[in-house]
Amino acid sequence: MTDKKASLFDSISNSYDKFNHTLSLGIDRMWRKKSLRHIVGLKNAKVLDVACGTGDLSIELIKQGAAHVTGTDISEGMIAVGRKKIESKHFSQQIEMTIEDCSAMSFADNSFDCITCAFGVRNFTKRKEGLKEMYRVLKTGGQLMILEFAMPQMPIIKQLYNFYFKHILPHIGKLMSGDKAPYEYFYNSVKQFPQRQLFMQELSDAGFTPKHFKVMTLGIAIAYYAEK
Ligand SMILES: C[S@@+](CC[C@H](N)C(=O)[O-])C[C@H]1O[C@@H](n2cnc3c(N)ncnc32)[C@H](O)[C@@H]1O
């Protein structure tokens, strides 16, 4: 059975990058960069970038010293945009992209030095299975970094952000892509995602040793770090 998330992301794949960079005023690029700087032993690592989408984190991984990146995603549309980008930026030697559902990946146990996932985990239909699969294919002693959206916790900022995210953002999304639904989904998925200690507990339940998390930009994004 096809995962509904594949068709959802197929439908926005051509506007995904524009939407990301415009609405975040480019801050999403900074989040990806910063989140990678705190990974231990990234230099020369063989990395699996789960839910790589259009490949921005995969490219940043190579720029920050990884030897090779395997990017995987469930959406053919997102991967197609990513492959074009990688070719145009001359990263095809270091980055390969394949279609994989994170909840049942084709890689052997203990295959990668490091696993990353930016803004992907919140979208997994089977999150528990996805995290367990990441654990299985990561080498013992390997590092995991998960970057996700979160809701700010500071009073006033929390209310303002919630209002913008719930009531304004879907309208901007509609103007840019013609459809409000993916952006309403975006709000709900962030709202429902467990953050901070709750997500650290999920990492522990999947077998990882959670290390720490780094809150960015008033708590709109959080990078989680764990080890196998
Ligand atoms: C918000 S995008 C993030 C893309 C990219 N990592 C980035 O930083 O922009 C979420 C991605 O998760 C992918 N995804 C959702 N469910 C998945 C699954 N079960 N297995 C693999 N990828 C999945 C989607 O296709 C989409 O490309």
Side-chain angles (χ1 to χ4, degrees):
M1 201 178 70
T2 322
D3 192 306
K4 278 188 190 149
K5 299 293 163 51
S7 34
L8 180 113
F9 281 97
D10 282 344
S11 74
I12 59 166
S13 56
N14 286 316
S15 56
Y16 178 81
D17 281 350
K18 193 172 90 186
F19 182 80
N20 249 352
H21 304 326
T22 311
L23 284 185
S24 73
L25 305 171
I27 294 175
D28 63 305
R29 290 194 182 99
M30 192 261 290
W31 287 334
R32 289 188 190 85
K33 273 193 188 135
K34 258 185 145 175
S35 66
L36 297 185
R37 282 191 201 130
H38 298 270
I39 299 177
V40 177
L42 186 59
K43 262 218 152 15
N44 299 322
K46 185 182 168 198
V47 183
L48 173 67
D49 184 23
V50 176
C52 64
T54 57
D56 283 357
L57 193 78
S58 303
I59 291 172
E60 190 54 37
L61 277 159
I62 295 297
K63 286 185 179 167
Q64 292 201 25
H68 186 269
V69 177
T70 305
T72 61
D73 201 281
I74 202 171
S75 157
E76 291 190 23
M78 296 290 273
I79 289 264
V81 175
R83 280 190 183 133
K84 268 191 210 147
K85 192 189 293 180
I86 279 159
E87 231 177 273
S88 72
K89 291 182 185 275
H90 311 290
F91 282 109
S92 308
Q93 295 291 317
Q94 299 109 308
I95 303 171
E96 64 178 316
M97 286 189 159
T98 57
I99 307 284
E100 293 267 348
D101 183 338
C102 68
S103 60
M105 294 191 276
S106 63
F107 309 108
D109 296 357
N110 307 305
S111 294
F112 298 95
D113 303 313
C114 175
I115 298 185
T116 57
C117 184
F119 311 115
V121 173
R122 155 184 64 83
N123 299 291
F124 296 168
T125 306
K126 298 178 189 164
R127 187 164 73 234
K128 217 187 245 177
E129 286 84 345
L131 293 175
K132 281 191 173 160
E133 272 293 88
M134 290 190 204
Y135 183 81
R136 180 183 69 76
V137 303
L138 185 62
K139 288 182 189 167
T140 304
Q143 305 294 313
L144 173 77
M145 189 290 291
I146 288 179
L147 177 61
E148 253 315 338
F149 284 107
M151 298 301 280
Q153 297 195 337
M154 273 180 282
I156 304 179
I157 288 172
K158 179 177 168 174
Q159 279 85 11
L160 284 174
Y161 185 69
N162 192 64
F163 182 80
Y164 164 76
F165 202 2
K166 186 173 183 182
H167 299 291
I168 299 178
L169 191 83
H171 294 287
I172 303 176
K174 189 175 178 189
L175 284 177
M176 285 177 73
S177 71
D179 189 4
K180 222 160 76 167
Y183 305 99
E184 286 169 343
Y185 159 79
F186 180 29
Y187 171 77
N188 290 324
S189 67
V190 175
K191 196 87 188 162
Q192 283 159 19
F193 187 71
Q195 21 174 317
R196 303 182 185 221
Q197 290 304 342
L198 289 176
F199 186 60
M200 295 292 264
Q201 184 57 49
E202 285 202 7
L203 293 177
S204 171
D205 293 345
F208 292 101
T209 305
K211 288 164 71 180
H212 57 98
F213 60 85
K214 200 169 164 38
V215 175
M216 295 188 265
T217 320
L218 305 169
I220 295 172
I222 300 181
Y224 300 87
Y225 301 87
E227 186 174 307
K228 175 169 174 182

